[in-house]
């Protein structure tokens, strides 16, 4: 036994997990405070530790070995809100734990982390790592001022802090303070705060060891990451006198990210078309214009999968309408474009044009049915609260009510019937054109159980509830299809429902560079499917910036070219054939990489690891990687290193400490470190992990096209030598019932040569007629290449490029190859 005084799995359902090793349960006895051992609430976990001092109450519960929930509140415990972030599918999970009851403190430990709490108020809390050592502790007692709450934690001298979504202030959050208040931030400047999203999650990384803190409240809050006091991280909110904090275990930062995404839900596997190139603009004003952009995408052979319509397709900008003059035959256009492999995505903002005060029905179904069903937020007089947005006076769905979410989801019925593939929920902070840019904080939202919450409390969750309603509606309307929703506002957990983007950025180099830190921190904060407007929304990118932004954007998870009204056009061809050729090439690179990219998205949906990863996530403890905001990893095996500065110049890339191949020169950089990339006609250099096997496909023009030709496997020698490929139909949910195939590749060097193998599971049919295995960095031609049965395989050796290409006939995903030198 590890502990002197041990209570194994003391409570409720946990006894089952403990079996006969459980000692007689005995309550931990608090010295100054009264400690009770069990606290059971319907829908909650069955075991928790309670400390009460009459005024302040502490509850600690175990959700999983890597996830503890710590709640502190004053007054009687209210059963007001469930979490707006925690994935209900997570259920009432729990895990075995041990309690050590010492005279002055009580310690709860799982296999992965623990907490030691002073029994004397104010219940000082220390977070323990898997070894039982203090990994963090409160910097002071939780304080309750002005009806709010403040919780502060120590920052170790060298600790770096990541997370907080896409806040636009560098990669490391340390030394900065942030406001969590979802805001329509048109034309935001780097450094601007608050922005559109609020994700109150931080990952603390200290010499390669990590832990995470998630402050679960959608209320307005400030997170001060060592700005006021360099050694203290504080979360404070003036709304609500309770603290709901999740403590997440490392020590590996990947584990923290995975635990946080297990708690708040993972980015579901998107439909494959959503991984393609998206063409958008505010706005394609007419059907004629939209059709001509679509036609040009195809005639210029720009691989693409979606065309987006912004608010001007609507009649008077009213959501769920279509302007019959601008778009006389939207369903016809949707069908024609779909036949050309282009999906249509429509914007549908959450505000509904108001017809309040009118006696007869307005004929605008979203308002009429919403009013009849009492689905809009009320004002104090009992009428519907109105604020001005794009359609003029508008009302706001009460997304806190499940019946309203259902009503909202059903509004998509006609568009879905017409074949519209995806939907865009913008302005859902919620934005208004009033001075406060949003709704009055005193407005009362209704909850399913009859309780109410102020808008000031619910605000940061509003967009998330909007995205949830859309996602769930689409799931009902097309039950076996993966929905695609884009949201602008988000709270923790929104990744379960929608992809996101960074809002109204600008056409500047600074904004281009910032996409890396923003998307990396979004990824760490659970958001795997995210992007930034390619080209910059506000302003005009010159030719060089548009080309280079496309080159980088093509290697980020969500890839959409979008631009503001009255800005210069930025479709791929606007700067003439030379820049169009580079843009095409950049998009083609993405389409060739789709097998790899789709596999990484599938991994994200299963593990919560982001698609776009900061280098430190894979290389914790490497100080240079922890500082590097200029490069990132796409999955674990490709490192994306853009030039970022203007001009056709050389630049230096700082590689993490392992072997990397420059995929252009094919040179091995054996130990990482700084490496120079010469001036070239491509602003992005890809490095492959030495040991990576990367699947690629022949070029297609859109994702409905089956590639014709061989599956290509790029093998970059090194240790460990691995690769993966995930296949399914790319659109339905059949994969959840087993209709997929997962291929694992491995290679092993030995005295005589190298063995390479592919092993697959799952029944999904492969698309390729043959496989081409491209081995890089091969110093001489192999003397023989045979398959698993000893039959010779055709192969070509390119001495100049030091490559051997092995041709494997057939569609099999299970084979082995031996090369002898
Ligand atoms: C907001 C969005 C932008 C969109 C515009 C019009 O500014 O952020 O992407 O184009 O509204 O709908």
């Amino acid at each position: 036994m590890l502990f002197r005084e041990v209570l194994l799995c003391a409570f409720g359902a946990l006894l089952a997990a403990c079996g006969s090793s459980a000692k007689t349960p005995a309550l931990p006895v608090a010295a100054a405070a009264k400690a009770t051992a069990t606290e059971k609430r319907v829908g909650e976990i069955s075991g928790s530790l309670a400390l009460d001092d009459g005024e302040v109450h502490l509850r600690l519960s175990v959700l999983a070995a890597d996830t503890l929930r710590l709640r502190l509140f004053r007054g009687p415990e209210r059963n007001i809100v469930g979490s707006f972030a925690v994935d209900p599918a997570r259920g009432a999970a729990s895990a075995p734990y041990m309690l050590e009851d010492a005279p002055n403190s009580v310690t709860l430990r799982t296999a992965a982390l623990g907490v030691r709490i002073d029994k004397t108020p104010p219940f000082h809390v220390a977070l323990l790592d898997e070894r039982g050592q203090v990994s963090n502790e409160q910097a002071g007692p939780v304080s309750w001022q002005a009806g709010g709450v403040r919780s502060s934690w120590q920052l170790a001298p060298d600790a770096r802090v990541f997370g907080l979504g896409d806040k636009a202030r560098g990669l490391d959050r340390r030394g900065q303070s942030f406001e969590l208040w979802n805001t329509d931030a048109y034309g935001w400047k780097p450094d601007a705060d608050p922005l559109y999203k609020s994700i109150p999650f931080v990952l603390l990384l200290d010499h390669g060891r990590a832990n995470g803190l998630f402050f679960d409240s959608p209320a307005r809050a400030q997170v001060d990451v060592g700005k006021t006091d360099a050694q203290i991280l504080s979360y404070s909110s003036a709304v609500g006198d309770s603290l709901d904090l999740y403590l997440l275990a490392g020590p590996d930062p990947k584990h923290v990210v995975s635990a946080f995404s297990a708690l708040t839900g993972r980015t579901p596997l998107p439909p494959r078309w959503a991984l393609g190139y998206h063409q958008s603009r505010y706005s394609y004003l007419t059907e004629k214009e939209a059709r001509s952009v679509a036609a040009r995408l195809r005639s210029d052979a720009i691989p693409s999968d979606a065309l987006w319509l912004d608010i001007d397709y609507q009649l008077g900008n009213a959501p769920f309408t279509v302007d019959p003059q601008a778009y006389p035959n939207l369903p016809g256009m949707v069908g024609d474009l779909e036949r050309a492999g282009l999906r249509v995505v429509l914007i549908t903002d959450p505000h509904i044009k108001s017809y309040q005060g009118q006696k007869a029905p307005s004929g605008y179904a979203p308002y009429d049915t919403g009013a009849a069903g009492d689905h809009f937020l009320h004002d104090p007089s009992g009428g519907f609260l109105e604020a001005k947005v794009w359609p003029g006076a508008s009302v706001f769905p009460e997304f806190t009510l499940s019946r309203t979410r259902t009503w909202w989801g059903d509004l998509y019925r006609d568009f879905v019937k017409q074949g519209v593939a995806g939907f865009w929920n913008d302005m859902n902070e919620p934005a208004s054109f009033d001075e406060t840019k949003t709704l009055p904080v005193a407005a009362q939202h209704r909850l399913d159980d009859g309780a109410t919450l102020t808008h000031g409390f619910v605000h940061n969750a509003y967009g998330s509830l909007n995205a949830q309603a859309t996602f769930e509606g689409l799931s009902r309307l097309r039950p076996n299809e993966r929905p695609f929703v884009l949201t602008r506002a988000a709270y923790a957990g929104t990744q379960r429902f929608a992809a996101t983007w960074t809002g109204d950025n600008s056409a500047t180099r600074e904004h281009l560079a910032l996409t890396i830190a923003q998307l990396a921190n979004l990824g760490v904060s659970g958001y795997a499917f995210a992007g930034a407007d390619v080209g910059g929304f506000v302003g005009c990118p010159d030719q060089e910036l548009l080309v280079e932004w496309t080159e980088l954007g093509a290697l980020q998870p969500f890839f959409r070219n979008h631009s503001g009204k009255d800005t210069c056009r930025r479709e791929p061809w606007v700067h003439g054939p030379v820049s169009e050729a580079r843009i095409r090439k950049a998009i083609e690179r993405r389409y060739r990489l789709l097998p790899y990219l789709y596999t990484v998205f599938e991994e994200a949906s299963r593990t919560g690891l982001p698609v776009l990863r900061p280098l430190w996530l894979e290389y914790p403890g490497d100080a240079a990687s922890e500082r590097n905001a200029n490069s990132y990893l796409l999955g674990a095996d490709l490192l994306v290193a853009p030039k970022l500065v203007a001009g056709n110049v050389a630049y230096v890339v700082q590689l993490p400490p392992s072997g990397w191949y420059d995929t252009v020169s094919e040179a091995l950089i054996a130990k990482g470190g700084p490496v120079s990339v010469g001036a070239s006609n491509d602003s992005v250099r890809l490095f492959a992990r030495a040991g990576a096997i990367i699947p690629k496909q022949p070029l297609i023009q859109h994702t409905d096209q089956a590639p014709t030709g061989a599956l290509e496997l790029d093998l970059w020698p090194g240790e460990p030598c691995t690769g993966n490929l995930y296949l399914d139909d790319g659109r339905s949910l059949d994969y959840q019932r087993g209709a997929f195939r997962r291929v694992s590749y491995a290679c092993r060097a030995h005295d005589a040569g190298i063995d390479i193998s592919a092993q697959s599971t799952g029944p999904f049919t492969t698309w390729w007629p043959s496989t081409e295995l491209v081995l890089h960095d091969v110093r001489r031609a192999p003397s023989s290449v045979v398959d698993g049965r000893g039959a010779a395989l055709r192969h070509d050796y390119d001495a100049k490029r030091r490559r051997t290409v092995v041709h494997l006939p057939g569609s099999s995903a299970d084979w082995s190859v031996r090369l002898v030198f």
Side-chain angles (χ1 to χ4, degrees):
M1 277 295 153
L2 272 173
F3 302 109
R4 217 166 23 90
E5 289 175 86
V6 175
L7 280 176
L8 260 173
C9 313
F11 316 124
L14 295 173
L15 282 169
C18 303
S20 56
S21 64
K23 290 194 171 180
T24 313
L27 301 184
V29 181
K34 191 170 135 305
T36 50
T38 46
E39 182 211 25
K40 277 193 188 179
R41 282 167 44 176
V42 178
E44 283 205 14
I45 64 163
S46 51
S48 70
L49 170 74
L51 292 169
D52 301 280
D53 81 343
E55 197 203 351
V56 175
H57 312 283
L58 177 149
R59 301 285 181 269
L60 179 72
S61 41
V62 180
L63 263 82
D66 55 17
T67 308
L68 303 182
R69 182 182 185 193
L70 178 70
R71 283 183 300 145
L72 275 126
F73 55 94
R74 293 192 302 171
E77 181 157 15
R78 294 143 306 166
N79 190 14
I80 40 165
V81 223
S83 171
F84 287 102
V86 172
D87 186 355
R90 172 73 191 238
S94 192
Y97 59 87
M98 304 189 206
L99 274 180
E100 183 188 41
D101 190 16
N104 299 321
S105 66
V106 55
T107 301
L108 181 151
R109 284 183 60 188
T110 71
L113 86 169
V115 159
R116 192 181 60 225
I117 307 172
D118 284 359
K119 288 176 179 171
T120 322
F123 308 131
H124 179 79
V125 178
L127 182 60
L128 311 177
D129 64 19
E130 81 289 0
R131 304 165 303 189
Q133 293 181 10
V134 174
S135 57
N136 199 347
E137 59 187 304
Q138 284 183 327
V142 169
S143 62
W144 316 89
Q145 75 279 59
V149 64
R150 178 172 185 275
S151 165
S152 57
W153 292 80
Q154 289 185 356
L155 283 174
D158 297 331
R160 297 183 182 280
V161 181
F162 303 100
L164 294 175
D166 57 357
K167 295 293 196 179
R169 291 184 176 161
L171 187 62
D172 183 354
R173 291 1 190 137
R174 189 134 186 193
Q176 323 252 21
S177 177
F178 301 90
E179 186 167 3
L180 305 184
W181 184 248
N182 289 357
T183 301
D184 177 5
Y186 170 81
W188 58 270
K189 302 271 178 294
D191 221 34
D193 194 60
L195 294 176
Y196 310 87
K197 302 175 198 20
S198 299
I199 306 183
F201 163 71
V202 284
L203 182 149
L204 289 80
L205 184 61
D206 186 18
H207 296 281
R209 293 182 65 85
N211 58 69
L213 303 174
F214 168 44
F215 299 90
D216 188 7
S217 166
R220 187 196 286 262
Q222 281 72 41
V223 180
D224 183 320
V225 191
K227 184 174 186 201
T228 306
D229 179 331
Q231 310 309 326
I232 294 178
L233 178 147
S234 70
Y235 168 92
S236 44
S237 174
V239 186
D241 51 1
S242 67
L243 177 75
D244 199 350
L245 171 61
Y246 290 86
L247 309 166
L248 303 155
D252 181 344
K254 275 182 169 175
H255 195 113
V256 179
V257 172
S258 191
F260 177 60
S261 63
L263 181 68
T264 58
R266 287 170 177 153
T267 301
L269 185 58
R272 190 165 35 226
W273 67 265
L275 270 51
Y277 173 67
H278 299 252
Q279 183 63 56
S280 182
R281 177 164 175 84
Y282 172 26
S283 295
Y284 294 127
L285 290 170
T286 62
E287 184 178 329
K288 200 162 156 236
E289 188 186 8
R291 282 178 180 270
S292 87
V293 171
R296 180 96 190 247
L297 287 167
R298 286 289 167 257
S299 66
D300 282 19
I302 305 290
S304 39
D305 270 84
L307 189 80
W308 291 53
L309 301 188
D310 207 323
I311 51 173
D312 294 297
Y313 79 89
Q314 301 163 332
L315 194 59
N317 296 334
F320 300 100
T321 62
V322 177
D323 179 339
Q325 280 188 340
Y327 280 83
N329 186 8
L330 182 67
M333 186 190 99
V334 168
D336 291 344
L337 262 55
E338 189 173 357
R339 279 183 286 283
L342 280 167
R343 259 74 173 186
V344 170
V345 180
L346 295 182
I347 197 166
T348 51
D349 290 347
H351 44 254
I352 293 295
K353 185 176 166 65
S354 177
Y355 288 88
Q356 196 160 206
Q358 196 169 291
K359 291 237 162 51
S362 67
Y364 174 46
Y367 180 81
D368 293 341
T369 59
D374 192 15
H375 291 301
F376 302 126
L377 189 55
H378 289 183
D379 68 14
S381 72
F384 298 135
L385 187 145
E386 281 186 351
K388 203 165 161 248
V389 210
W390 299 123
S394 301
V395 289
F396 295 82
E398 190 79 287
F399 288 118
T400 44
L401 291 172
S402 54
R403 65 180 181 81
T404 297
R405 293 198 295 275
T406 304
W407 160 81
W408 171 268
D410 288 346
L411 295 178
Y412 288 92
R413 187 177 307 276
D414 288 348
F415 284 152
V416 163
K417 252 195 224 147
Q418 293 163 13
V420 177
F423 296 93
W424 175 15
N425 291 154
D426 189 23
M427 305 290 277
N428 53 358
E429 291 70 29
S432 92
F433 298 158
D434 297 347
E435 212 179 311
T436 63
K437 292 180 150 197
T438 190
L439 306 180
V441 291
Q444 296 286 327
H445 287 276
R446 291 164 282 165
L447 302 182
D448 286 345
D449 63 4
T452 58
L453 285 171
T454 64
H455 184 71
F457 185 83
V458 169
H459 179 82
N460 288 336
Y462 190 84
S464 191
L465 293 164
N466 171 211
Q468 177 180 357
T470 308
F471 178 89
E472 290 173 353
L474 297 177
S475 301
R476 285 193 306 276
L477 292 166
R478 280 192 287 236
N480 195 30
E481 266 198 51
R482 305 173 206 173
F484 174 76
V485 182
L486 185 77
T487 182
R488 190 171 70 177
Y491 177 58
T494 313
Q495 68 272 4
R496 303 205 298 278
F497 313 114
T500 195
W501 91 110
T502 59
D504 298 342
N505 62 355
S506 294
T508 68
R509 291 230 155 239
E510 215 183 346
H511 270 274
L512 170 62
L514 203 51
T515 62
I516 298 177
Q518 286 194 286
L519 300 178
N521 272 311
L522 264 176
V524 169
S525 309
Y527 236 115
F529 199 9
D533 283 350
V534 168
F537 181 79
V538 178
C540 287
D542 61 16
Q543 169 172 338
E544 188 194 33
L545 185 59
L546 180 60
V547 166
E548 298 189 359
W549 203 316
T550 313
E551 285 170 345
L552 186 59
L555 296 164
Q556 296 180 340
F558 174 59
F559 180 33
R560 184 184 69 155
N561 171 307
H562 180 58
S563 49
K565 207 161 204 171
D566 304 324
T567 63
C568 340
R569 303 295 294 235
R570 64 202 64 175
E571 288 79 13
W573 43 85
V574 293
H575 291 301
V578 175
S579 76
E580 184 180 10
R582 261 182 78 175
I583 287 175
R584 181 185 301 109
K585 220 167 140 199
I587 301 176
E588 288 177 355
R589 172 160 53 195
R590 181 180 181 96
Y591 276 75
R592 285 188 195 279
L593 273 172
L594 279 178
Y596 174 76
L597 191 62
Y598 191 60
T599 301
V600 176
F601 266 92
E602 194 277 333
E603 184 192 7
S605 72
R606 216 169 4 93
T607 66
L609 290 177
V611 171
L612 187 159
R613 304 179 188 172
L615 303 184
W616 55 260
L617 193 57
E618 295 285 343
Y619 300 90
D622 176 44
S625 293
E626 289 176 4
R627 278 194 304 269
N628 193 337
N630 294 336
S631 308
Y632 60 86
L633 291 158
L634 191 60
D637 289 344
L638 283 178
L639 188 146
V640 180
K643 170 172 68 79
L644 297 176
V645 295
N648 193 5
V649 293
Y651 59 106
V652 173
V653 178
Q654 191 69 39
L655 296 172
S658 71
W660 292 96
Y661 279 96
D662 178 331
T663 60
V664 174
S665 68
E666 307 200 14
L668 173 66
I669 301 104
K671 292 205 181 100
V675 56
S676 175
V677 175
S680 86
N681 223 10
D682 184 351
S683 67
V684 170
R685 184 61 54 94
L686 277 173
F687 292 85
R689 181 180 66 78
I693 301 176
I694 294 173
K696 297 197 319 213
Q697 69 184 22
L699 186 62
I700 50 174
Q701 291 301 308
H702 58 84
T703 58
D704 282 344
Q705 247 175 23
T708 50
L711 169 72
E712 296 161 45
L713 295 174
D714 260 325
L715 192 156
W716 302 93
E719 284 285 331
C721 179
T722 55
N724 293 291
L725 174 60
Y726 172 83
L727 304 169
D728 63 19
D729 68 10
R731 58 193 311 164
S732 78
L733 300 176
D734 292 352
Y735 72 97
Q736 294 174 357
R737 297 176 284 274
F740 62 84
R741 186 183 294 265
R742 200 185 298 285
V743 195
S744 308
Y745 302 103
C747 86
R748 194 177 61 84
H750 47 80
D751 288 350
I754 181 167
D755 289 345
I756 306 150
S757 65
Q759 276 191 327
S760 78
T761 54
F764 195 77
T765 314
T766 60
W767 53 260
W768 54 85
S770 60
T771 299
E772 250 178 34
L773 193 53
V774 184
L775 278 87
H776 299 268
D777 201 17
V778 180
R779 283 148 215 232
R780 57 176 187 276
S783 55
S784 93
V785 181
V786 293
D787 69 12
R789 295 190 309 270
L793 290 169
R794 185 160 73 81
H795 59 279
D796 308 301
Y797 181 65
D798 179 339
K800 210 168 134 218
R801 303 178 79 176
R802 303 205 302 192
R803 274 187 189 180
T804 285
V805 180
V806 178
H807 305 272
L808 287 149
S811 58
S812 175
D814 297 85
W815 43 257
S816 62
V817 171
R818 169 162 289 185
L819 286 90
V820 176
F821 293 95

